[in-house]
Amino acid sequence: MSANPVVLIVEDDRQAGRLLGEIFAEQGYRVVSALTGPDGIRLARTARPDLVLLDLMLPFKSGDEVLASIRASSQVPVIVVSARETTRSKVDLLRMGADDYVTKPFDVDEVVARAEAALHRAGGACAARTVHETAGLVLDETEHRAAAGGRELALTSTEFGLLTVLMRAPRLVFSKPQLYAEVWGESVGYDERTVNTHVSNLRRKIREACGADPIRTVWGIGYTLRPA
């Protein structure tokens, strides 16, 4: 990731898009904007953004379609910024691969905090290579790669962040608030559904790769990583 990360803002409301652009430009980001779904898909490929802020109600192609297109070829962090706030739509979007969700009208500090947390999860250069191996899993923090049963996992930055926390301290039980603070950051408000959904996505990908699920649910507390 570059010193001045590129943020792609896919938003058909010109006023909201302009406000987001100004906010992130002030924070040192390079801003690229799209007003329609097809333009968002095209710029996600050509501009190679480090982060995508995605509205759902877009012309020609919906935000859901844009997200699906991005996830077909990229694990770039995607934060949905939308007025649609039902539990079902939020959980569905997280299952589709969105990293986070901000409801309009948004708080400026919250959007920036969530963006910074997403970029942190996406990883940066480390001074020394850090590789963890346990329970049939291998995770390389430096190269931002993980594998299960010898098969590489296509993880979003959020899923990779969760797996990193669990693999750094296998057998330690992490509460859901602890995982949220570690992965999303203390400055971002806790959301249990978000943790549950991303852990569910992570478990599914591991099972598909190796047929096993080393992530254990400790009822009433949270999650831990243990071999079967």
Side-chain angles (χ1 to χ4, degrees), residues 8-197:
L8 169 59
I9 299 172
V10 189
E11 169 65 74
D12 69 323
D13 183 323
R14 293 179 183 274
Q15 183 175 355
R18 188 180 307 112
L19 174 59
L20 285 169
E22 290 173 354
I23 291 169
F24 281 90
E26 288 174 0
Q27 298 295 320
Y29 291 75
R30 289 180 289 150
V31 177
V32 181
S33 300
L35 296 171
T36 69
D39 281 345
I41 291 172
R42 176 179 58 81
L43 286 171
R45 289 195 303 264
T46 60
R48 301 175 65 84
D50 298 292
L51 174 72
V52 178
L53 300 179
L54 177 64
D55 186 26
L56 294 180
M57 308 299 288
L58 297 168
F60 308 118
K61 282 186 180 293
S62 69
D64 306 60
E65 292 176 287
V66 175
L67 175 59
S69 176
I70 290 173
R71 280 292 169 258
S73 60
S74 171
Q75 299 303 323
V76 62
V78 177
I79 299 177
V80 171
V81 183
S82 177
R84 197 190 299 175
E85 58 180 348
T86 65
T87 299
R88 179 175 177 80
S89 67
K90 177 175 181 177
V91 170
D92 286 347
L93 286 160
L94 294 175
R95 285 176 177 160
M96 287 177 61
D99 290 270
D100 211 342
Y101 190 107
V102 176
T103 303
K104 294 178 181 177
F106 52 79
D107 177 82
V108 170
D109 292 336
E110 180 186 7
V111 174
V112 172
R114 289 184 181 275
E116 290 176 346
L119 287 169
H120 178 72
R121 292 193 297 273
C126 300
R129 187 174 182 185
T130 304
V131 179
H132 308 282
E133 296 187 42
T134 188
L137 303 172
V138 179
L139 182 142
D140 188 325
E141 292 191 47
T142 307
E143 295 189 358
H144 209 265
R145 298 176 66 177
R151 297 181 61 184
E152 188 158 351
L153 298 170
L155 303 180
T156 67
S157 60
T158 302
E159 294 158 3
F160 188 88
L162 284 167
L163 186 57
T164 300
V165 173
L166 293 171
M167 290 192 70
R168 282 174 176 171
R171 300 184 181 276
L172 182 66
V173 178
F174 290 89
S175 70
K176 294 176 184 180
Q178 281 178 318
L179 283 174
Y180 198 87
E182 288 282 348
V183 176
W184 282 265
E186 295 282 0
S187 60
V188 179
Y190 171 63
D191 186 337
E192 182 177 359
R193 292 192 309 272
T194 297
V195 176
N196 290 341
T197 303

